[in-house]
Amino acid sequence: MPEPSFPLRLSRTCLRAGALFLLSVPPIAAIATTAPENGQPAIISGLGRVVDGDTLDVGATRVRLEGIDAPETAQTCQTATGESWACGKAATAMMRKLSERQDVACDRTGTDRYHRTLATCFVEGVDIGEAMVRAGLAWAFVKYSTVYVAIEAEARKGNIGVWQGPAEAPWDFRRNEWQVAEVAAPKGCAIKGNVSSHGRIYHMPWDGR
């Protein structure tokens, strides 16, 4: 997901963890830049493997969908009657339905600060990002793009997905989770990590792990 839009006050230990987290990104993602500069292809294609509601691997490339922001995996929303439902997990499930093990073609638009490729992606001509917003399982990420604003308005009007009741925008959810985790974490370091057979793995407070 995109970087938190709030100040990060990290200890030296946490800063080292963050640096190692960035260094652990696969080399193919780390070199991605705005297409088609530096020899990077404008079009990325391959089988899709879903990470969460707005991120997937296309072949060997980690792709963050341009213009949308889906609920975090651990995030919940409310129905019209005030009942809680797992909108974050529902968003991931919808992404799997749209793109898991499907032939995905992406139009590269750039890279984010996590070194993920930003792109608009399609499966059989269907814009995945648009489909997520239309299903009420992602917000139009207006901080960076207004492409899906009209689609979001339609979903809001129809009380679809997250719009059936009160819902916290993902960027607000991340900010709040970070603030809570930062207070509770040792030395103020909200980044968690562990070492496995696959190397160092770091988790952000909103990952739900």
Side-chain angles (χ1 to χ4, degrees), residues 50-51 89 91-100 102:
V50 171
V51 176
K89 291 181 180 178
T92 301
M94 174 59 78
M95 274 285 286
R96 288 199 176 102
K97 181 179 179 180
L98 291 167
S99 60
E100 185 75 22
Q102 301 291 317

Side-chain angles (χ1 to χ4, degrees), residues 115-165:
H115 302 281
R116 298 171 300 186
T117 293
L118 293 169
T120 302
C121 296
F122 302 85
V123 173
E124 296 183 351
V126 175
D127 181 337
I128 300 173
E130 178 180 333
M132 290 295 296
V133 176
R134 193 177 295 281
L137 291 171
W139 276 250
F141 208 173
V142 292
K143 180 178 179 180
Y144 300 102
S145 172
T146 59
V147 172
Y148 302 116
V149 168
I151 304 299
E152 180 187 294
E154 292 178 13
R156 283 176 179 263
K157 186 177 180 179
N159 300 319
I160 299 171
V162 299
W163 309 115
Q164 62 187 287

